[in-house]
């Protein structure tokens, strides 16, 4: 399969500047405190991929239980915040407000060049390869609006619609001249849109009910329409290596799929899975940075220490490429067609 080249020199500090990290972490801590203060109202759920009720505790963090499904190996938070709690959480998030006002603007150039332009090119390549119509693309969880701008500038789709529930981010999308719906996707009336393509980048891990998300996307798409979803891969390198110390293990990441379980969920919701891929670029660096910062030790893993520390300049990018090309990155893409 030929895919667009992604700049291999992407570094974490380009998209999450170190000098802003302390303030961002303080905002995040406020969000965690506000969310977990409502734990008494959280509800138990089964596996978001296969609905099994059989699970064991995989992680405990932020006072939350991250369960591992014994049937399909998806990891998920249960008990978890209700949809109403989640809606309030994102509407008043200090962390997202800080990202919108500081981190996104400071990292916009690098994000556009090294994430969103390649992402738009990959999306176009997929759409052309599978022969979709080009009337309407909908991005669910449009964030700062950069992907919508990039895909719109390509001129392939006649209409691009952004859906963004966080008010400050939706306002940014509107100020950029994008067509935007400022509400949770679950509340949007999308049945008459007949979209050709739905994309959701790093969204499904945040949702209370991923199955309902796929079913709503199925309603929104025309026959043969495509859905492109990205999310963390629980079987990817940095999450497998760091475990509970991974920043991907987050209080707002409720669902942790892997290629097989996400494919199973999409298939059960009326989609034909066309491909999965893991084109991540940061797994190795994320682990390396945790070690350098003293948050994680490779003392008992001399092989990884050799790659990530002693021979980083020679082997780092090659090791990351190996992870990406062999389905081992923690950044997962799924492409599926409505049937």
């Amino acid at each position: 399969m030929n895919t667009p080249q992604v700049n291999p020199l992407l570094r974490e500090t380009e998209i999450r500047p170190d000098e802003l990290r302390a303030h961002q972490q303080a905002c995040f801590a406020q969000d965690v405190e506000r969310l977990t203060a409502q734990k008494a109202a959280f509800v138990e759920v089964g596996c978001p991929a296969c609905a099994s009720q059989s699970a064991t505790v995989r992680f405990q963090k932020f006072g939350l239980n991250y369960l591992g499904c014994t049937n399909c190996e998806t990891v998920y938070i249960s008990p978890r915040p209700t949809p109403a709690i989640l809606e309030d959480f994102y509407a008043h998030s200090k962390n997202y407000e800080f990202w919108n006002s500081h981190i996104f603007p400071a990292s916009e150039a690098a994000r556009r060049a090294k994430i969103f332009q390649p992402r738009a090119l990959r999306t176009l390549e997929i759409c052309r390869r599978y022969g979709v119509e080009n009337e309407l693309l909908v991005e669910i969880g449009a964030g700062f609006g950069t992907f919508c701008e990039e895909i719109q500038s390509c001129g392939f789709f006649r209409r691009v619609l952004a859906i963004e529930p966080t008010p400050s981010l939706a306002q940014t999308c509107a100020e950029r001249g994008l067509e935007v719906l400022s509400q949770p996707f679950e509340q949007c009336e999308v049945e008459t849109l007949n979209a050709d393509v739905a994309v959701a980048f790093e969204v499904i891990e945040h949702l209370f009910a991923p199955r309902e998300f796929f079913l709503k996307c199925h309603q929104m798409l025309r026959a043969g329409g495509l859905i492109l979803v990205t999310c963390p891969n629980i079987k990817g390198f940095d999450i497998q290596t760091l475990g509970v110390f991974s920043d991907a293990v987050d209080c707002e990441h409720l669902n942790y799929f892997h290629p097989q379980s996400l494919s199973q969920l999409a298939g059960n919701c009326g989609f034909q899975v066309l491909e999965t891929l893991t084109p991540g670029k940061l797994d190795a660096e994320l682990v390396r940075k945790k070690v350098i910062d003293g948050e994680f030790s490779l003392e008992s893993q001399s092989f990884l220490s050799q790659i990530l520390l002693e021979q980083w300049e020679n082997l780092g990018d090659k090791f990351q490429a190996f992870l990406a090309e062999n389905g081992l990155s923690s950044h997962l893409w799924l492409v599926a067609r409505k049937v």
Side-chain angles (χ1 to χ4, degrees):
M1 178 183 68
N2 295 320
T3 54
Q5 290 296 309
V6 180
N7 192 324
L9 299 179
L10 176 65
R11 296 293 182 241
E12 186 191 14
T13 188
E14 295 180 277
I15 59 174
R16 290 185 280 269
D18 288 340
E19 64 272 17
L20 298 176
R21 186 169 176 81
H23 195 155
Q24 181 267 321
Q25 288 294 303
C27 291
F28 176 70
Q30 292 181 56
D31 281 0
V32 172
E33 183 178 2
R34 184 166 59 87
L35 184 66
T36 56
Q38 304 175 75
K39 279 177 61 177
F42 288 12
V43 295
E44 300 274 359
V45 297
C47 174
C50 70
S52 171
Q53 298 291 327
S54 177
T56 58
V57 175
R58 176 81 177 270
F59 308 122
Q60 288 185 313
K61 191 174 182 180
F62 309 114
L64 304 173
N65 288 330
Y66 298 73
L67 306 183
C69 176
T70 58
N71 180 51
C72 74
E73 299 182 288
T74 296
V75 174
Y76 59 99
I77 290 180
S78 181
R80 65 176 50 186
T82 64
I85 291 174
L86 289 171
E87 181 177 352
D88 177 75
F89 173 80
Y90 288 112
H92 300 96
S93 167
K94 297 295 184 183
N95 186 37
Y96 280 83
E97 183 179 329
F98 186 76
W99 274 82
N100 184 50
S101 60
H102 292 83
I103 296 179
F104 282 143
S107 60
E108 171 75 350
R111 286 175 176 273
R112 186 179 294 276
K114 297 188 177 185
I115 296 178
F116 291 106
Q117 288 175 355
R119 183 177 286 176
L121 291 174
R122 187 186 298 278
T123 299
L124 286 180
E125 190 271 335
I126 289 170
C127 290
R128 287 176 173 137
R129 179 146 42 89
Y130 291 111
V132 299
E133 299 295 325
N134 62 345
E135 184 63 36
L136 172 62
L137 177 143
V138 178
E139 182 179 13
I140 303 154
F144 204 58
T146 312
F147 173 81
C148 280
E149 281 192 328
E150 287 300 320
I151 201 72
Q152 193 165 258
S153 71
C154 292
F156 180 78
F157 290 98
R158 296 187 180 91
R159 180 185 175 197
V160 174
L161 174 64
I163 298 177
E164 175 50 53
T166 301
S168 60
L169 290 170
Q171 180 62 31
T172 297
C173 289
E175 290 170 356
R176 291 183 164 210
L178 298 171
E179 181 183 358
V180 57
L181 289 177
S182 179
Q183 59 187 139
F185 179 58
E186 295 85 348
Q187 299 175 16
C188 294
E189 296 182 3
V190 298
E191 291 78 6
T192 60
L193 285 178
N194 290 317
D196 303 293
V197 180
V199 299
F201 302 111
E202 290 80 59
V203 169
I204 198 167
E205 64 267 30
H206 296 261
L207 301 180
F208 178 83
R211 183 176 185 276
E212 298 307 315
F213 165 83
F214 271 110
L215 291 174
K216 195 170 185 74
C217 286
H218 196 275
Q219 291 179 326
M220 180 176 70
L221 288 165
R222 68 171 71 246
L226 292 187
I227 182 170
L228 281 66
V229 172
T230 73
C231 63
N233 171 19
I234 189 63
K235 294 189 176 183
F237 174 73
D238 72 89
I239 301 179
Q240 283 287 302
T241 303
L242 296 172
V244 73
F245 297 101
S246 170
D247 289 341
V249 180
D250 189 338
C251 70
E252 60 188 75
H253 290 174
L254 307 179
N255 315 293
Y256 301 81
F257 298 101
H258 53 82
Q260 294 75 28
S261 68
L262 188 61
S263 296
Q264 178 182 355
L265 175 60
N268 288 340
C269 293
F271 289 95
Q272 174 195 7
V273 175
L274 302 173
E275 58 185 279
T276 61
L277 56 155
T278 64
K281 293 295 173 184
L282 292 175
D283 301 68
E285 187 190 358
L286 291 171
V287 176
R288 168 182 162 84
K289 194 168 183 180
K290 288 285 186 184
V291 175
I292 291 173
D293 291 345
E295 299 177 35
F296 188 76
S297 174
L298 291 176
E299 185 177 354
S300 62
Q301 302 188 60
S302 58
F303 180 74
L304 286 182
S305 181
Q306 199 177 156
I307 295 172
L308 301 180
L309 298 175
E310 298 160 25
Q311 298 190 52
W312 174 251
E313 295 302 324
N314 293 328
L315 298 179
D317 287 338
K318 295 175 185 177
F319 182 64
Q320 183 62 52
F322 168 80
L323 297 174
E325 292 165 6
N326 291 278
L328 298 172
S329 167
S330 289
H331 178 54
L332 169 63
W333 280 60
L334 175 138
V335 181
R337 189 198 305 274
K338 175 179 175 176
V339 293

